[in-house]
Amino acid sequence: MATDRPETVVVPMSEFGIEVLWVLIIASLGLSAVALVFSISHRRRIPAAAFTAGDDVASEARTVLREFEKNGHSADAALITWSPDTLRKILADDLPETQVIVVSNREPYIHNTRDDGIELLVPASGLVSALEPITRACAGTWIAYGGGTADRLTVDENDRVEVPPGNPSYTLRRVWLTEEEYHAYYLGFANEGLWPLCHIAFTRPIFRASDWEAYEAVNRKFADTVVAEARNERPIVLVQDYHFALLPRMIRERLPEAIIITFWHIPWPNSEVYSICPWRERILEGLLGSSIIGFHTQFHANNFTESVDRFLESRIERADAAISYGGQTTLVHAYPISIEWPAEMLARLPAVEECRARIRERFGLPANAKLCVGVERLDYTKGIIDRFHALDELFTRHPEWVGKVVFLQVAAPSRGTLPAYQQLHDECLRYAEELSQRYGGANYNPVLMLAEHHSQEQVYEIYRAADICMVTSLHDGMNLVAKEFVAARDDEQGVLLLSTFAGASRELLEALIVNPYDATMMSEALLQALTMTRDEQRERMRPMREMVRDNNVYRWAGSMLLDAARLRKRGDLDRVTGNGERPSSSNNVISLFERARKAAS
């Protein structure tokens, strides 16, 4: 039958065509295989420690880069061996003859009266341990509240004392506060107001007008002291923490050519939480007197920028991480703080095995018991009670571990006159006693609670003796205990359990990362730590020690000083070229917005 449909013609393929087709197929498969191998070999390996039960693919994406690798300086900084000499070279080459002034509430050396004379105390403080080697290296001036009972007896006529004792390298300038000033400024506004405001620990902030007035007055007193100690109009002033939110603006008004670097050591809340502060605009305005504002993590820096965007008429340049307010530009960066490397006191401590023997003998620990430790101030943000819950859960789910684990909690008394801290102290003691009654025996106590101060040397001895260190902050800026524990373990042993809500979890990716609000999850992580082989401990500890070594406190300070040097050089260039026509109070900083506008015109 005839149809209109064209006839299909099949053309046979030649042998040559078949060979070409096979070559193309094989080549395509080969290229795919090469691409797959390349992808696998170049994918960053995420340590097993970065994952916990229930984690998903999003968790992997969040832990690809350590926090310090995101701060914009990693390419240059990775090529530098950071040490005191590095800081001195930066000052000599980039900031010649520049005076460095550190301002903090806590002083690095405290003198107290004793029956047999005067006792020198070096507080076991993360801030002090981070800043003291910096100030030594810079031969600077440290301004702090003089709260020791013998502090007035040890200063000269200008309220100064040269420190460290026996080998002075910088000046400590003490500021005196009345009991009423200290109570309202420090215990009141700073620690009943700003501290709970900035930490997600579900403790309601308390704001009183009288506390605010004292806070403002004390900030003014410290500003007067900075001006009095400045040898010229162009010092670098390192303002530390939430005690001095108003200080940068006060210094700027009187030393307009100073470089002011403010570092906020605690978290910054999101703008909705921050909005409850009655003096929210004043605090932001005070901080924006800084040339640079630093936070531990980019997340907290972003929260600060969002707060400014919501409450102040300002211009924000997110690409430059800069805020323009009142004719001045402030850079807002993440600078993850760290510790001294190598830790100075390690040279004074015996080997790990001897430290273990000392601690076990001191506390009468069973020979076969694993030692788990926690070290911090007694504070409701540190998650101490949550550790006890985790231990309770471990014993409930795995009763075979009763008698084989001892938890040693070192909790230095802190702000004991505040009701929230008194309640925490009582609750910790009550829960520790309950666990001991429930699981303890004649020669076994599962929880040892040491609510007393320890020196840094004593703390490092405990680190070296521990099998496990628990850092389970409910919310924290960095938490240097985690890094101190890693630095103390030159034997490359020990396991770190680390809260995902501590800034250190962005860097110490090989730790066992936990959610402190989940007692079951923490108990399983604790079991994993108890049963971890020595080889796996070494595989985890080694890269963490390398991270703390490379990203030490000198890198933290050096990154800020290098940024300060860039600001000063560009500001000087602007004045020479005429691009710096701004109010005199901002001559030391670069207005990125003005530079962009003039370049475009």
Side-chain angles (χ1 to χ4, degrees):
M1 178 184 296
T3 67
D4 294 332
R5 186 173 60 188
E7 182 179 358
T8 300
V9 179
V10 178
V11 179
M13 181 177 290
S14 68
E15 291 184 5
F16 175 77
I18 293 174
E19 291 176 357
V20 170
L21 178 60
W22 275 109
V23 168
L24 291 175
I25 292 172
I26 292 171
S28 176
L29 291 173
L31 290 173
S32 298
V34 170
L36 180 61
V37 171
F38 182 84
S39 174
I40 293 173
S41 65
H42 284 73
R43 177 182 297 175
R44 177 180 174 87
R45 177 182 177 271
I46 306 301
F51 301 98
T52 52
D55 281 351
D56 54 17
V57 176
S59 298
E60 179 174 352
R62 287 195 298 269
T63 57
V64 166
L65 290 179
R66 303 181 195 273
E67 188 68 35
F68 77 92
E69 294 172 334
K70 306 172 189 175
N71 67 8
H73 305 298
S74 57
D76 294 337
L79 303 177
I80 301 174
T81 299
W82 293 92
S83 68
D85 289 339
T86 312
L87 294 187
R88 284 188 280 266
K89 182 171 176 54
I90 290 173
L91 288 171
D93 294 348
D94 299 292
L95 295 162
E97 300 183 11
T98 298
Q99 180 188 12
V100 176
I101 300 175
V102 175
V103 185
S104 71
N105 175 75
R106 180 167 300 193
E107 56 183 336
Y109 295 94
I110 303 171
H111 290 93
N112 287 322
T113 53
R114 304 274 294 186
D115 293 338
D116 55 350
I118 294 177
E119 176 190 44
L120 176 68
L121 174 66
V122 180
S125 157
L127 183 146
V128 169
S129 64
L131 284 169
E132 212 272 337
I134 303 307
T135 318
R136 271 193 273 118
C138 298
T141 299
W142 189 321
I143 299 173
Y145 161 60
T149 54
D151 276 355
R152 289 181 183 269
L153 302 176
T154 54
V155 296
D156 63 16
E157 65 275 11
N158 296 310
D159 298 324
R160 302 186 186 114
V161 58
E162 298 301 311
V163 292
N167 184 28
S169 57
Y170 67 93
T171 301
L172 173 59
R173 170 68 152 87
R174 287 170 170 153
V175 177
W176 314 116
L177 303 178
T178 66
E179 185 176 345
E180 293 76 14
E181 284 177 323
Y182 182 78
H183 189 276
Y185 135 80
Y186 178 76
L187 295 176
F189 189 77
N191 287 306
E192 285 190 296
L194 287 180
W195 180 266
L197 176 71
C198 292
H199 289 85
I200 303 174
F202 308 107
T203 298
R204 177 173 174 160
I206 299 173
F207 295 110
R208 308 180 188 90
S210 58
D211 289 346
W212 168 257
E213 291 169 2
Y215 184 85
E216 189 173 20
V218 170
N219 273 245
R220 182 74 64 188
K221 181 177 287 191
F222 272 82
D224 293 342
T225 306
V226 170
V227 173
E229 291 296 320
R231 294 194 292 265
N232 56 50
E233 295 183 350
R234 291 163 63 87
I236 290 180
V237 185
L238 305 176
V239 178
Q240 304 301 311
D241 225 354
Y242 62 102
H243 311 96
F244 300 112
L246 305 180
L247 186 58
R249 179 67 60 189
M250 293 175 176
I251 297 173
R252 173 73 59 223
E253 291 169 352
R254 299 171 64 182
L255 295 174
E257 293 189 37
I259 291 284
I260 303 170
I261 304 174
T262 299
F263 195 83
W264 195 265
H265 289 262
I266 63 176
W268 188 275
N270 64 50
S271 62
E272 186 68 20
V273 171
Y274 180 70
S275 69
I276 72 173
C277 179
W279 300 279
R280 61 198 183 196
E281 289 87 1
R282 291 284 308 280
I283 288 172
L284 294 174
E285 289 171 350
L287 289 169
L288 289 175
S290 309
S291 314
I292 301 170
I293 301 175
F295 296 89
H296 290 303
T297 70
Q298 190 60 50
F299 181 70
H300 297 150
N302 293 345
N303 279 350
F304 175 81
T305 301
E306 292 300 328
S307 297
V308 173
D309 194 24
R310 180 171 176 179
F311 297 114
L312 295 182
E313 289 292 333
S314 59
R315 286 190 294 173
I316 296 174
E317 183 57 59
R318 298 184 189 276
D320 292 319
I323 298 173
S324 181
Y325 178 77
Q328 176 195 330
T329 297
T330 301
L331 303 183
V332 181
H333 285 178
Y335 303 95
I337 200 170
S338 195
I339 61 173
E340 185 179 23
W341 184 280
E344 183 181 1
M345 71 280 301
L346 283 182
R348 302 194 295 268
L349 288 174
V352 167
E353 287 305 317
E354 186 173 343
C355 290
R356 288 174 64 86
R358 285 184 184 181
I359 295 299
R360 287 177 172 275
E361 181 180 1
R362 184 183 310 165
F363 297 107
L365 304 184
N368 63 337
K370 296 278 190 176
L371 176 60
C372 181
V373 303
V375 179
E376 52 263 302
R377 290 184 305 103
L378 188 62
D379 192 283
Y380 54 76
T381 67
K382 302 302 181 182
I384 297 173
I385 292 292
D386 300 271
R387 285 173 217 161
F388 293 168
H389 282 304
L391 185 64
D392 195 356
E393 187 77 9
L394 174 74
F395 289 157
T396 300
R397 296 165 64 89
H398 303 280
E400 68 274 13
W401 281 98
V402 175
K404 299 178 182 178
V405 181
V406 174
F407 185 80
L408 174 63
Q409 177 62 59
V410 178
S414 175
R415 307 164 190 165
T417 60
L418 299 182
Y421 290 82
Q422 294 173 346
Q423 180 181 344
L424 175 67
H425 177 266
D426 294 342
E427 187 177 359
C428 285
L429 291 179
R430 185 167 54 250
Y431 201 168
E433 179 62 26
E434 180 183 337
L435 290 174
S436 295
Q437 290 179 356
R438 195 185 313 163
Y439 300 111
N443 299 313
Y444 173 63
N445 189 352
V447 178
L448 301 175
M449 183 83 179
L450 302 181
E452 57 192 51
H453 291 283
H454 285 67
S455 69
Q456 281 292 86
E457 191 168 331
Q458 291 172 322
V459 166
Y460 267 75
E461 185 179 41
I462 292 172
Y463 290 147
R464 289 167 72 77
D467 296 290
I468 302 165
C469 180
M470 294 186 75
V471 179
T472 56
S473 308
L474 304 180
H475 200 196
D476 225 327
M478 176 57 68
N479 198 306
L480 292 178
V481 167
K483 295 186 177 183
E484 289 175 349
F485 174 69
V486 168
R489 299 315 296 257
D490 51 10
D491 62 335
E492 297 182 345
Q493 294 296 297
V495 183
L496 175 64
L497 264 69
L498 181 57
S499 167
T500 188
F501 304 116
S505 68
R506 274 72 167 176
E507 297 182 88
L508 301 176
L509 306 183
E510 293 77 15
L512 299 183
I513 308 299
V514 298
N515 177 358
Y517 292 92
D518 187 341
T520 300
M521 173 191 179
M522 278 217 292
S523 71
E524 290 303 313
L526 186 54
L527 178 64
Q528 182 182 353
L530 290 168
T531 57
M532 188 178 294
T533 66
R534 293 178 63 85
D535 286 344
E536 184 177 351
Q537 291 180 43
R538 186 174 296 107
E539 288 178 3
R540 292 173 180 272
M541 186 61 72
R542 186 170 293 165
M544 289 194 290
R545 285 177 57 80
E546 290 173 356
M547 194 290 302
V548 177
R549 178 198 67 199
D550 295 341
N551 190 40
N552 59 34
V553 72
Y554 302 110
R555 178 173 178 175
W556 171 72
S559 297
M560 290 189 288
L561 291 176
L562 285 172
D563 279 350
R566 295 185 186 104
L567 286 178
R568 173 144 290 169
K569 289 175 183 177
R570 291 174 187 170
D572 291 344
L573 179 62
D574 275 355
R575 283 194 291 274
V576 171
T577 60
N579 290 333
E581 298 174 2
R582 298 182 299 280
S584 60
S585 63
S586 61
N587 282 345
N588 66 305
V589 294
I590 309 97
S591 173
L592 302 177
F593 307 99
E594 290 182 15
R595 291 166 64 91
R597 176 177 56 78
K598 290 184 178 183
S601 62

